[in-house]
Amino acid sequence: MTMLASLTDLTVAYHRASPPSLSGVSLDIASGEILAIIGESGSGKSTLVRALAGLLPERARLSGAIGWPGLDGAPRAGRDIGYVFQDPGSSLNPVLTVGEQVGEGARRHLGLSRAAAEAEAARLLSRVHLPEPERLAHAYPHQLSGGQRQRVAIAGAIAARPRLLVADEVTSALDVVVQAAIVDLLVELVRADGMTLVFVTHDLALASGIADRLAVMAGGRLVELGPTAEVVAAPKAAETAALIAAHIDLATPPLVGGAP
Ligand SMILES: Nc1ncnc2c1ncn2[C@@H]1O[C@H](COP(=O)(O)OP(=O)(O)O)[C@@H](O)[C@H]1O
Ligand SMILES: [Mg+2]
């Protein structure tokens, strides 16, 4: 198994005076794996993946190291790492057509002509299972449903054929049925293309349904990391056990391994 990225003692503070939002996180990400980052709101999940993707605000102070043994050199923004945000309503540009923004990554990073990018956009829209992709390419984001917009955002994120896809709470704003469909789509895409997926969620059931490994965050620290089935069956950290207990209390569907 080759390693895509390696974080060593990563620490991040957003302000000079504030306590770190991420403290001493060390983590290797294997090429081709689905790694879920789980934890309560405010535990540092987004800070971790923003640091990984080079998307922290400029004022943020970062120490430790992020290595990319799986890439030749540092990752290029939007090229080697595709990023999908929670709210496609704000990540999509309202004045550009769906086709223009999905084709943009292919134009910029793969050097496609305008016409070729248009064809590529339609191909990508069909890959994310949007109906009538040629027609849809001329629509504007506000004309689509939330689930369709998230599919468009995913199509845009994979346009430059990144090695790593980061999905930060991408289903949190969607209803449960659409959530499941979007998660299935992500898994289908990363498995088909051999991409690595870092899937951030506060939803343990969602994470354990798809992830090869779970990384559990609490208070800015990585408190547990392991193969999904092992972590769920025998959590080592109190915070992981609490996430599992909260989940069972809510009587939501069974976790991996089939809880009663
Ligand atoms: N842009 C920001 N500026 C200042 N503080 C931030 C910023 N983003 C997050 N934080 C703080 O960092 C901590 C971790 O937040 P975050 O990484 O967003 O957690 P999560 O994604 O798990 O909800 C929180 O205390 C949060 O308030
Ligand atoms: Mg977050």
Side-chain angles (χ1 to χ4, degrees), residues 139-150:
Y140 288 89
H142 74 267
Q143 296 173 293
L144 309 181
S145 71
Q148 288 176 324
R149 280 201 290 267
Q150 201 52 293

Side-chain angles (χ1 to χ4, degrees), residues 124-188:
L124 288 162
L125 293 173
S126 110
R127 268 205 89 186
V128 298
H129 307 306
L130 284 164
E132 300 187 73
E134 277 88 6
R135 203 169 69 86
L136 197 89
H138 298 288
Y140 288 89
H142 74 267
Q143 296 173 293
L144 309 181
S145 71
Q148 288 176 324
R149 280 201 290 267
Q150 201 52 293
R151 287 177 191 273
V152 169
I154 292 167
I158 63 169
R161 300 178 195 156
R163 295 282 305 281
L164 171 64
L165 188 61
V166 174
D168 189 355
E169 302 270 11
V170 295
T171 64
S172 302
L174 304 173
D175 72 53
V176 174
V177 175
V178 181
Q179 270 186 7
I182 293 289
V183 166
D184 287 349
L185 171 66
L186 287 171
V187 173
E188 177 195 325

